[in-house]
Amino acid sequence: MPLYRLLYRSEIALNGSKDQIDHQIDQIVSASEQSNHLSGLTGALIASGGVFIQALEGPLGALEATFEKICLDLRHKRVNLIELAAAEERIFPEWSMIRVAQGAQMIEICTVVGVRESGRLDTSTTSALVSLMRNILLTKSAGSLDNEVAAGASAAIRLPDR
Amino acid sequence: METIYSCLRDAHDQDLLWIAALVCVTGVYASISLARHASRVEGNSRKAWAAVAIVSSACTAWATHMVGLLAFQPGMQAGFDPLLTLMSLLLTIIGISASMGTAIGSRNRLRRAGAGLLLGLSIALLHYLGQAAYLVTGRVTWNVQLVALSLAWSLPLFAAAMVLSGDKRNSLRHLAGPLILSAIALLHFAGMAALELTFDPRISLPESALPPDVVAPIVAAVCAALVVLAFMGLRFALAARAQAIRDRSRLKQLADLAVEGLAICRDGTIDAVNGSLATLVGCSQQDLKGRTLSSLLPDTPLSKLSEHQEQDGELFTNDGTRVPVRLLRKIVKIGNVDQTVVAIRDQRERLRTEQRMRTLAFTDALTGLANRLQFNQILSANCEKANATEERFALLLLDLDRFKFVNDTFGHAMGDELLKRVARRLSACCGSTTSIARLGGDEFAIIVDEELAQDTAETIIDVLGRPYLIDGSIMDIAASVGIAIGPADGSNPSVLSRSADLALYTAKHAGGSVYRRFEREMRERAQARRQLELDLRRALVREEFEVHYQPQVDPGDGRFQGAEALVRWRHPERGMVPPADFIPLAEEIGLISPLGEWVLRTACEQATGWPSHLTVAVNLSPVQLRDSALAARVMQILQDTGLPGSRLELEITETALLQDEETTYNTLHALRAMGIRISMDDFGTGYSSLSYLRRFPFSKIKIDRSFVRQVPEDQESVAIIQALTSLAAKLNMTVTVEGVETAEQRAFTVSEGCNQIQGYLISRPIESVSIRALFNEPLQSVA
Ligand SMILES: Cc1cc2nc3c(=O)[nH]c(=O)nc-3n(C[C@H](O)[C@H](O)[C@H](O)COP(=O)(O)O)c2cc1C
């Protein structure tokens, strides 16, 4: 079955203190993990600077159905699809859903993507973005943050000025 | 009593007594079975069989009596008086007939008692006459007391028996037979005991007396006849029973065929049910027998059921469910007995169908939301409530931007899927108390509390604007929302809807993806627009349009090359209406085609009055260009007016090329073939797609006035004009610069090698008379 990947950005619309919001995001991630596991999806979620960025990958049908559910969700606003494209392989095969821990790189990614609030990005930019997400996840789990990897990747996705 | 008993024991031949009893029983059976048979048959045979039954009963009584007499052993010679014996038989027949005649068909107890007395009397008469006919060689004395006693005891018994035989209750009716038998026996034996015979040799039997030897065979013959009759009766009874069984099974088959459940009840207890009812209740027919009807219909007592009108009830089935049913009660004669039949019709299917029809009628089949019909009801109810309580509510009308595009591009199936998702997203945006309806197409309506209106509208616009991924395609649509508050913006559904509609219209005109609350000015603006629309529709007929012309000259030597035709509307009250105010409206209301054609015809006509080297340029709207008959129409106009095609220029904008490229391509080439030149109007404002310049046969580019305005100061504008001019030269096209207002601008165009200019520096647009005058001046240039 051909694989697809989608990447979207939205604005967090959760209420409460910082901790409460953090807790709610963790709940979203753990619920997503279960439901994605059942439908064969994998991916990662960034929540930082008031913005969600989520990468989801898997078979097209499941991807579309889950994205429709996400679009019904009022816990975020201004859902903006950055990319939907066929993919060679999964970038997050080991996670049904995982939250990418906060960090300077993440905020930078958010602003970079935020530069173009509307409109889709080209595939090379998005794959760089997604790879960066993965790298940060891996570095985090390895215990130290490999700044060079992150910086290199974020440089790769910096967009030419219009 | 003592006397009766000793008389029985001592004075009778015991064997003959048994025979008497047997004859009596046989005769009674014969009479009864024949009488029954009579009641079953019809017409003359009924009367005949009734007569036979009566005669047989009389004969029974008589024969019993005679055998009894024969059994009597008086101890002396005995004989029978023939006349009295015969009389006793005849009188009995008459008496029984009379009695039966009185009793038949009557339930009146007094009358039946009378009939019983009559029967008793006639049997008593038979008895005592018979005894009077019994002659012995001795003296006969009567014990009057015993005779009186026998009458006093037996007559009430007869009366009682007749009354009982007419009773409704089976058990009592069955008592009638034994009662009559005992009355007869009492009469007989008491009568015999009352008779005292004393032998007296002086008394001899009269000549006419028949000896027992002679009478006995006669009696035997009568008995034999009774036996025969009894057999006939038996046969009739058996045949009748067989028939009854056949009838019943046929009835049962018929009942089982019935779709309705049927229960035959007696005193509230079920006697029989048909298959349908057993299935309905969920057990066998046998199981239902003997149950009370109220165990099935606890809420509907049998007495409450009407005989004429069906009524609703609930049937409790074996598994505890309650089935809605219609009930009807009927009293039916089955055999000879009145029975209550209850018809029970299962209403579930009908109710389901009704429910389905209601659902179908009130919901939108595609999305499952309420449809317009139901929404109108909800809206009316809300309006009424709001008027009564002053409680305000918000009506949101929404409309999808770009839905038509998706539907046309991706097909209806995709459009339908999209609508379904839109409906689901709408439901997710609104609380459960909110009413959401699809009014048709891509129009939806929502009713919410007033204070939620804006938030809801915002959420809806956000959520519906999120991308839709369907079968690998990404679809982006957006929603515009109009809000009206009831009852402030309309106290009835139609005014309120109209207000919301105006708000929606305003939101759409603001570019979509926004919501607007209704404001009073919207109504005025709409009113003005409607008025303008009306005026516009009439303007063509009333010839309120005029064509004005703006001359086009060679920037170098200032010689006239032609003019652009521009439509003007001279409104009778408002004066000149600017094209920007009415051209979009004319496009919207479908008036642009006839108007455009009128302008074209008029311009061609008037241009024929100009010097023959001058051209006329006419604008074509996108709508005209989409019409595949355009080329033919232009050809016709050229023929009608006599203007050569080479003197006509048609100007089109880039947006006109966006739609239906195929038709446009063909049309433009056909026009080109007539020698008509095509120019690209307003170049530089829209997409400015260079591919269009290559694909379509343009001979001229008109550079938009916005670029000229800033020359020669603005470097960018200068660069663009330079680039376009050289591009046009390379593509073999000429360049016209519009909006030239100053001498510097003109000089610039000359230096850049533009072929033509147009603008206030030369002349503003002028009336046809003036342009003609201008063109026919000898100088022919504006240097
Ligand atoms: C930012 C964000 C990301 C989400 N990601 C997922 C996801 O990957 N998979 C998923 O099933 N639900 C996800 N959800 C939750 C869905 O929106 C929705 O609440 C959930 O799927 C409801 O599932 P249910 O209808 O099966 O209960 C996400 C929600 C938010 C706000």
Side-chain angles (χ1 to χ4, degrees):
Chain A
M1 206 183 290
L3 270 182
Y4 282 79
R5 179 166 55 243
L6 72 72
L7 190 69
Y8 75 87
R9 171 197 186 280
S10 64
E11 287 169 22
I12 300 179
L14 294 168
N15 295 317
S17 68
K18 197 175 166 327
D19 281 354
Q20 284 168 334
I21 290 178
D22 242 30
H23 180 65
Q24 293 175 56
I25 294 172
D26 286 341
Q27 276 178 339
I28 290 176
V29 172
S30 67
S32 303
E33 201 181 338
Q34 286 179 10
S35 132
N36 292 356
H37 180 69
L38 293 177
S39 40
L41 298 179
T42 52
L45 176 74
I46 300 172
S48 181
V51 174
F52 282 125
I53 292 182
Q54 191 176 23
L56 264 177
E57 50 193 15
L60 187 62
L63 203 59
E64 290 185 349
T66 297
F67 187 66
E68 184 60 30
K69 282 200 294 187
I70 292 173
C71 283
L72 290 175
D73 205 314
L74 301 182
R75 288 175 292 187
H76 54 175
K77 287 190 301 201
R78 280 186 247 289
V79 176
N80 208 312
L81 186 65
I82 299 168
E83 186 199 28
L84 169 69
E88 295 280 301
E89 51 181 14
R90 289 185 194 259
I91 296 201
F92 307 96
E94 52 277 76
W95 302 289
S96 291
M97 185 49 57
I98 185 161
R99 183 167 175 191
V100 183
Q102 293 184 5
Q105 287 74 22
M106 291 298 86
I107 295 171
E108 188 168 350
I109 296 168
C110 294
T111 34
V112 169
V113 176
V115 169
R116 286 196 143 195
E117 262 185 39
S118 55
R120 271 135 224 168
L121 297 183
D122 56 80
T123 313
S124 61
T125 314
T126 51
S127 13
L129 192 58
V130 172
S131 309
L132 176 62
M133 281 169 82
R134 177 176 175 79
N135 279 335
I136 290 170
L137 279 168
L138 290 178
T139 338
K140 186 76 204 302
S141 54
S144 76
L145 201 71
D146 188 334
N147 273 316
E148 244 164 85
V149 172
S154 65
I157 62 165
R158 202 181 306 262
L159 299 164
D161 288 328
R162 221 195 103 121
Chain B
M1 273 292 126
E2 190 63 11
T3 0
I4 296 175
Y5 177 68
S6 59
C7 160
L8 254 182
R9 197 192 49 204
D10 306 330
H12 284 80
D13 174 328
Q14 293 293 326
D15 293 343
L16 269 178
L17 259 190
W18 282 119
I19 289 179
L22 206 67
V23 167
C24 184
V25 169
T26 311
V28 166
Y29 176 76
S31 312
I32 290 176
S33 56
L34 291 175
R36 289 227 171 108
H37 179 64
S39 73
R40 282 191 292 260
V41 297
E42 272 159 30
N44 277 340
S45 45
R46 175 179 216 151
K47 283 188 195 136
W49 282 114
V52 172
I54 286 171
V55 170
S56 89
S57 65
C59 288
T60 304
W62 182 79
T64 308
H65 176 74
M66 290 305 283
V67 176
L69 277 183
L70 288 173
F72 191 53
Q73 294 160 335
M76 58 196 97
Q77 205 186 348
F80 293 87
D81 182 311
L83 201 67
L84 278 179
T85 305
L86 192 65
M87 280 246 307
S88 74
L89 177 60
L90 290 180
L91 283 175
T92 312
I93 293 177
I94 293 168
I96 290 180
S97 307
S99 160
M100 291 302 148
T102 317
I104 263 177
S106 164
R107 284 218 186 278
N108 184 323
R109 295 216 175 128
L110 228 75
R111 193 170 163 151
R112 291 194 78 92
L117 282 181
L118 215 59
L119 181 70
L121 278 176
S122 56
I123 289 176
L125 197 67
L126 160 85
H127 204 83
Y128 288 108
L129 262 183
Q131 280 191 353
Y134 190 61
L135 305 171
V136 287
T137 51
R139 252 182 298 115
V140 181
T141 46
W142 291 89
N143 181 340
V144 183
Q145 222 180 340
L146 216 54
V147 169
L149 218 64
S150 79
L151 286 177
W153 274 98
S154 66
L155 286 184
L157 282 180
F158 278 112
M162 276 314 264
V163 171
L164 286 183
S165 74
D167 201 282
K168 273 188 197 158
R169 280 157 290 188
N170 255 344
S171 50
L172 289 183
R173 229 176 19 242
H174 288 314
L175 279 180
L179 221 54
I180 282 188
L181 275 180
S182 48
I184 291 175
L186 189 71
L187 207 59
H188 179 82
F189 296 114
M192 292 310 275
L195 190 69
E196 192 151 326
L197 305 171
T198 331
F199 179 66
D200 189 343
R202 288 167 301 174
I203 299 173
S204 62
L205 294 176
E207 278 298 296
S208 59
L210 301 173
D213 307 352
V214 179
V215 175
I218 298 175
V219 173
V222 171
C223 290
L226 284 177
V227 170
V228 170
L229 286 178
F231 269 112
M232 284 173 72
L234 180 63
R235 255 206 55 207
F236 287 141
L238 289 178
R241 179 169 304 169
Q243 182 67 39
I245 288 171
R246 271 200 303 279
D247 283 355
R248 190 167 303 169
S249 78
R250 202 168 301 153
L251 205 67
K252 195 171 137 36
Q253 283 168 356
L254 210 62
D256 283 343
L257 273 182
V259 185
E260 293 186 343
L262 295 173
I264 301 172
C265 307
R266 201 183 315 166
D267 307 327
T269 306
I270 295 171
D271 236 10
V273 299
N274 68 349
S276 298
L277 185 59
T279 318
L280 186 58
V281 177
C283 59
S284 72
Q285 278 164 278
Q286 205 54 40
D287 289 345
L288 278 173
K289 206 164 172 175
R291 274 174 64 176
T292 57
L293 190 66
S294 57
S295 71
L296 297 183
L297 302 165
D299 305 334
T300 329
L302 194 55
S303 56
K304 284 257 176 66
L305 282 180
S306 161
E307 285 218 38
H308 308 288
Q309 213 176 2
E310 289 189 358
Q311 65 193 73
D312 291 314
E314 262 186 338
L315 178 85
F316 281 55
T317 66
N318 263 12
D319 59 13
T321 47
R322 297 158 171 235
V323 176
V325 288
R326 297 279 281 175
L327 298 165
L328 186 68
R329 185 176 69 134
K330 267 246 143 72
I331 304 287
V332 184
K333 225 185 178 71
I334 295 179
N336 284 327
V337 196
D338 282 342
Q339 285 189 311
T340 310
V341 175
V342 179
I344 300 170
R345 192 182 307 151
D346 185 357
Q347 293 300 92
R348 280 176 301 188
E349 188 54 37
R350 204 202 74 202
L351 294 175
R352 264 199 295 273
T353 313
E354 278 178 9
Q355 181 57 39
R356 215 172 18 241
M357 282 168 62
R358 238 194 318 273
T359 315
L360 277 182
F362 285 110
T363 53
D364 174 49
L366 181 65
T367 61
L369 297 176
N371 64 6
R372 185 182 283 276
L373 191 65
Q374 190 182 3
F375 190 74
N376 286 345
Q377 288 182 0
I378 296 171
L379 186 58
S380 298
N382 269 282
C383 282
E384 266 165 39
K385 192 169 138 229
N387 289 332
T389 62
E390 287 292 314
E391 213 175 279
R392 292 151 69 95
F393 69 96
L395 167 63
L396 274 59
L397 283 187
L398 70 104
D399 183 302
L400 304 179
D401 310 330
R402 288 195 294 281
F403 174 73
K404 200 178 141 14
F405 171 75
V406 169
N407 212 33
D408 291 349
T409 327
F410 294 92
H412 291 301
M414 207 67 124
D416 284 354
E417 175 59 28
L418 191 59
L419 286 173
K420 278 193 226 171
R421 294 204 186 182
V422 165
R424 238 174 284 140
R425 289 194 186 181
L426 274 178
S427 308
C429 293
C430 307
S432 54
T433 55
T434 323
S435 311
I436 311 173
R438 176 172 170 233
L439 302 183
D442 59 343
E443 251 185 285
F444 295 83
I446 294 162
I447 291 178
V448 287
D449 291 345
E450 186 200 7
E451 59 274 13
L452 294 177
Q454 311 219 348
D455 285 349
T456 307
E458 257 167 42
T459 312
I460 287 174
I461 290 169
D462 176 23
V463 171
L464 294 195
R466 297 176 184 182
Y468 298 80
L469 307 188
I470 306 177
D471 296 340
S473 303
I474 305 170
M475 266 159 256
D476 287 301
I477 56 170
S480 305
V481 181
I483 306 176
I485 305 296
D489 300 337
S491 57
N492 68 51
S494 67
V495 176
L496 190 62
S497 301
R498 178 99 194 96
S499 299
D501 223 11
L502 284 172
L504 173 60
Y505 177 84
T506 315
K508 279 192 94 74
H509 264 240
S513 282
V514 291
Y515 68 89
R516 286 284 179 270
R517 262 208 58 173
F518 171 76
E519 290 159 8
R520 263 163 221 293
E521 301 81 70
M522 291 178 184
R523 208 173 276 157
E524 284 144 30
R525 275 205 299 276
Q527 180 61 36
R529 202 185 96 97
R530 240 193 333 273
Q531 188 55 51
L532 192 68
E533 194 181 310
L534 281 177
D535 291 349
L536 191 58
R537 285 183 195 282
R538 281 192 293 242
L540 204 57
V541 192
R542 294 186 180 175
E543 302 185 347
E544 290 168 7
F545 291 112
E546 294 171 7
V547 180
H548 287 199
Y549 299 89
Q550 185 168 40
Q552 299 168 321
V553 303
D554 183 321
D557 56 16
R559 284 210 311 203
F560 291 121
Q561 294 178 324
E564 180 181 357
L566 298 159
V567 65
R568 293 288 180 268
W569 180 15
R570 195 183 292 278
H571 191 282
E573 288 131 40
R574 301 180 183 204
M576 280 298 182
V577 183
D581 284 5
F582 72 89
I583 294 291
L585 187 59
E587 269 172 5
E588 211 171 302
I589 65 178
L591 215 66
I592 199 73
S593 281
L595 179 59
E597 197 175 325
W598 178 84
V599 172
L600 182 62
R601 182 175 289 274
T602 311
C604 288
E605 237 165 48
Q606 294 176 343
T608 51
W610 306 345
S612 62
H613 66 285
L614 298 180
T615 58
V616 62
V618 182
N619 292 286
L620 278 188
S621 77
V623 182
Q624 282 174 288
L625 203 58
R626 241 176 288 151
D627 182 357
S628 54
L630 177 71
R633 214 162 282 156
V634 173
M635 168 96 89
Q636 186 65 45
I637 290 173
L638 290 180
Q639 267 172 19
D640 293 350
T641 57
L643 188 79
S646 58
R647 291 184 61 197
L648 178 63
E649 257 177 46
L650 292 175
E651 301 191 353
I652 57 178
T653 54
E654 230 178 336
T655 42
L657 299 174
L658 286 179
Q659 294 141 341
D660 201 2
E661 292 196 10
E662 187 69 26
T663 314
T664 311
Y665 182 85
N666 294 336
T667 304
L668 291 185
H669 276 278
L671 291 170
R672 211 53 197 111
M674 291 177 228
I676 297 168
R677 270 174 291 176
I678 315 286
S679 32
M680 167 74 92
D681 204 2
D682 300 338
F683 196 76
T685 52
Y687 296 82
S688 307
S689 161
L690 296 181
S691 72
Y692 285 142
L693 289 180
R694 204 185 45 194
R695 179 162 152 72
F696 296 104
F698 289 106
S699 33
K700 190 190 218 179
I701 299 174
K702 293 187 82 174
I703 299 177
D704 192 64
R705 59 185 69 241
S706 57
F707 295 105
V708 186
R709 202 174 298 140
Q710 297 171 42
V711 241
E713 309 85 46
D714 182 48
Q715 280 309 305
E716 230 168 77
S717 299
V718 168
I720 287 173
I721 292 181
Q722 282 170 344
L724 283 180
T725 322
S726 71
L727 178 76
K730 298 234 167 68
L731 289 172
N732 257 337
M733 296 177 192
T734 60
V735 169
T736 300
V737 177
E738 292 183 272
V740 176
E741 292 180 1
T742 65
E744 281 158 337
Q745 289 170 351
R746 177 175 168 182
F748 171 75
T749 58
V750 174
S751 71
E752 292 311 321
C754 294
N755 315 77
Q756 195 174 59
I757 56 168
Q758 184 182 334
Y760 282 6
L761 180 68
I762 314 301
S763 163
R764 56 178 60 236
I766 49 178
E767 292 179 28
S768 63
V769 200
S770 317
I771 194 107
R772 191 170 167 173
L774 186 67
F775 281 163
N776 286 324
E777 272 170 22
L779 190 55
Q780 284 297 310
S781 78
V782 277

